[in-house]
Amino acid sequence: MRMEELNAVGTRLNLGTMAFTAENIIEFARKFDPQPFHMDAEAAKDFVFGALCASGWQSAAGWMKTFLAYWTKECIRLHKQGIAPPKLGPSPGFRKLQWLKPVYAGDRITYYTTLLNSRELASRPGVWLNSTLNEGVNQNGETVIRFESSVLEFT
């Protein structure tokens, strides 16, 4: 089965929701983005965001985490039905990454992916390039992150 057969172009998939707590924001920041507004709630009050907020890279990593959990469950579901799931990976990259709104401690971000198109590579028959639009939306319905990405598919 190919990805385009599983999910038609334009179908928006809900990948799952991730909670952002002060603790996991600070832990991520200590390891990967040690800026004051990601590490100290008091210090964050004096910055443009006005409160402790997650690194944009943490919100992007949240998309990947929820996508992999979704894809693992989807592969198990398909195998149980006797269907070979699409063979995905790796990704040749992403573009148009936008951090549209801060993600604050206490926010819950629901992540989505939408297949934009799929085409076979002329240089590599049997290898397809799938392009997707990926988003994270907070509990208020506001899009906080958006980016386009691609993933290779092997038949």
Side-chain angles (χ1 to χ4, degrees):
M1 168 173 275
R2 292 221 28 265
M3 182 59 97
E4 191 174 22
E5 297 166 335
L6 182 60
N7 299 297
V9 168
T11 302
R12 188 180 194 214
L13 301 174
N14 182 326
L15 303 176
T17 300
M18 184 171 151
F20 286 77
T21 65
E23 294 78 20
N24 68 32
I25 288 171
I26 293 167
E27 180 183 352
F28 186 95
R30 280 190 182 130
K31 292 178 183 176
F32 305 110
D33 193 354
Q35 297 183 71
F37 45 87
H38 299 320
M39 296 180 52
D40 182 325
E42 276 304 307
K45 291 177 183 177
D46 295 328
F47 284 87
V48 67
F49 304 117
L52 185 72
C53 65
S55 167
W57 296 113
Q58 184 178 8
S59 64
W63 180 90
M64 191 69 195
K65 181 178 182 177
T66 57
F67 173 78
L68 290 174
Y70 171 86
W71 189 244
T72 298
K73 290 177 191 172
E74 187 68 353
C75 287
I76 291 167
R77 181 187 72 79
L78 291 169
H79 280 299
K80 284 182 180 178
Q81 294 179 6
I83 299 169
K87 297 174 191 168
L88 300 180
S91 170
F94 66 92
R95 63 178 189 253
K96 298 183 183 178
L97 173 60
Q98 298 173 294
W99 290 306
L100 301 166
K101 292 202 171 277
V103 174
Y104 293 106
D107 281 352
R108 296 179 49 81
I109 307 303
T110 301
Y111 292 99
Y112 300 91
T113 190
T114 304
L115 183 64
L116 297 176
N117 61 52
S118 182
R119 65 175 178 83
E120 189 171 20
L121 298 178
S123 62
R124 301 180 98 184
V127 177
W128 295 78
L129 182 66
N130 296 314
S131 298
T132 59
L133 173 65
N134 307 291
E135 303 165 287
V137 178
N138 68 17
Q139 68 279 356
N140 301 316
E142 301 166 315
T143 302
V144 298
I145 184 173
R146 179 186 302 129
F147 63 97
E148 294 177 11
S149 66
S150 300
V151 64
L152 296 175
E153 178 179 348
F154 304 89
T155 56

